[in-house]
Amino acid sequence: MTLTEENYIKAIYHLGKYGKEMVNTNAIAEALDTKASSVTDMVKKLSEKGYLNYKKYQGVILTEKGKDVAVNIVRKHRLWEVFLVEKLNFTWDEVHEVAEHLEHIRSEKLINELEAFLEFPMYDPHGDPIPDRHGNFKNIDKVALAQSEVGKVYTCVGVKDTSSKFLKYLDSNNIGLGTIIEVLYKEPFDNSVKIKLNAAEMVVSQNVAKNLFLKEV
């Protein structure tokens, strides 16, 4: 497979909620920042190769063959992120783009040895589950801060937005995986949320609240 084909399959996997739902071509075009016509050509090609099912005017969904490829790419990406943070002292806002390149390495032995070297981590630095060599992974029951309940206390377990800007914002406000957050108040006007962490209170925007994943303590 080409790198472009792998990127398409991974994008469809994520957009389709781990390959469970059909994805329209416009969503794929937006995710990959390309033209809808280019997407149509590629999904037809991937359909012919047996990686997805394409229905005109409806969208695409991954086949089992396509899911296997997607899960393997995701596994490599997340293992490399762990390696970069734990062994090379990268910060969590620096690893995504580097892992985007490393995920295309084809050596199965290398990835299996990497996983063993890292002592079989279950989650990456952003809190996302890492599939094992058989494609199995363990999800955490989590809720976005935007859907949390006022008065309850949570632990930060992940982020939806892995962009460098968002992660740096969290770092600047001392928010990371494991941070204890108490939800104090939700503002109906703009859906901002007042929270308490590290004995300090702060208000976060709706955009932050929908991109921060929590688990009730």
Side-chain angles (χ1 to χ4, degrees):
M1 298 187 70
T2 66
L3 302 189
T4 302
E5 288 173 335
E6 288 188 348
N7 286 333
Y8 265 82
I9 287 178
K10 186 178 73 168
I12 293 167
Y13 177 76
H14 286 306
L15 291 169
K17 298 181 179 178
Y18 302 127
K20 297 176 182 177
E21 298 179 1
M22 188 160 279
V23 182
N24 67 58
T25 53
N26 287 333
I28 300 170
E30 183 177 353
L32 296 175
D33 192 23
T34 190
K35 298 177 181 178
S37 58
S38 299
V39 172
T40 300
D41 291 340
M42 178 58 77
V43 297
K44 286 180 179 178
K45 182 179 178 181
L46 291 172
S47 179
E48 291 171 358
K49 289 186 174 184
Y51 293 111
L52 53 83
N53 290 320
Y54 169 60
K55 293 184 179 180
K56 194 173 182 180
Y57 306 123
Q58 295 184 44
V60 303
I61 189 167
L62 292 176
T63 60
E64 289 304 315
K65 181 180 177 180
K67 287 179 187 177
D68 288 344
V69 171
V71 169
N72 189 43
I73 296 169
V74 169
R75 175 176 177 244
K76 290 186 286 185
H77 183 103
R78 293 175 180 173
L79 283 172
W80 282 119
E81 286 192 336
V82 174
F83 175 77
L84 291 168
V85 169
E86 292 189 358
K87 305 302 179 181
L88 298 185
N89 300 316
F90 279 66
T91 57
W92 70 338
D93 61 281
E94 296 175 320
V95 296
H96 182 72
E97 288 189 11
V98 180
E100 286 280 292
H101 297 285
L102 294 171
E103 70 185 25
H104 297 293
I105 293 175
R106 298 226 178 353
S107 173
E108 183 178 348
K109 180 180 179 180
L110 172 61
I111 300 306
N112 288 338
E113 292 296 335
L114 176 65
E115 181 183 44
F117 176 68
L118 296 171
E119 299 180 345
F120 303 94
M122 297 181 67
Y123 303 98
D124 74 6
H126 308 115
D128 293 315
I130 300 174
D132 64 20
R133 67 181 67 188
H134 305 295
N136 302 310
F137 57 88
K138 184 178 181 180
N139 260 322
I140 298 177
D141 290 329
K142 58 190 178 184
V143 62
L145 174 57
Q147 277 74 53
S148 63
E149 295 184 35
V150 173
K152 289 192 174 182
V153 178
Y154 299 85
T155 301
C156 177
V157 294
V159 293
K160 183 178 181 180
D161 183 351
T162 57
S163 68
S164 178
K165 287 183 178 180
F166 181 61
L167 297 177
K168 285 180 178 178
Y169 165 83
L170 295 181
D171 282 338
S172 68
N173 287 284
N174 298 312
I175 300 174
L177 300 188
T179 300
I180 302 298
I181 295 175
E182 181 181 356
V183 183
L184 301 178
Y185 177 72
K186 290 186 173 182
E187 175 54 61
F189 174 69
D190 61 0
N191 295 316
S192 59
V193 183
K194 186 176 185 180
I195 61 175
K196 182 178 181 180
L197 65 153
N198 302 321
E201 296 181 3
M202 67 177 292
V203 176
V204 298
S205 68
Q206 179 186 19
N207 193 39
V208 171
K210 69 182 184 182
N211 280 293
L212 197 62
F213 288 130
L214 310 175
K215 181 179 181 180
E216 189 174 346
V217 175

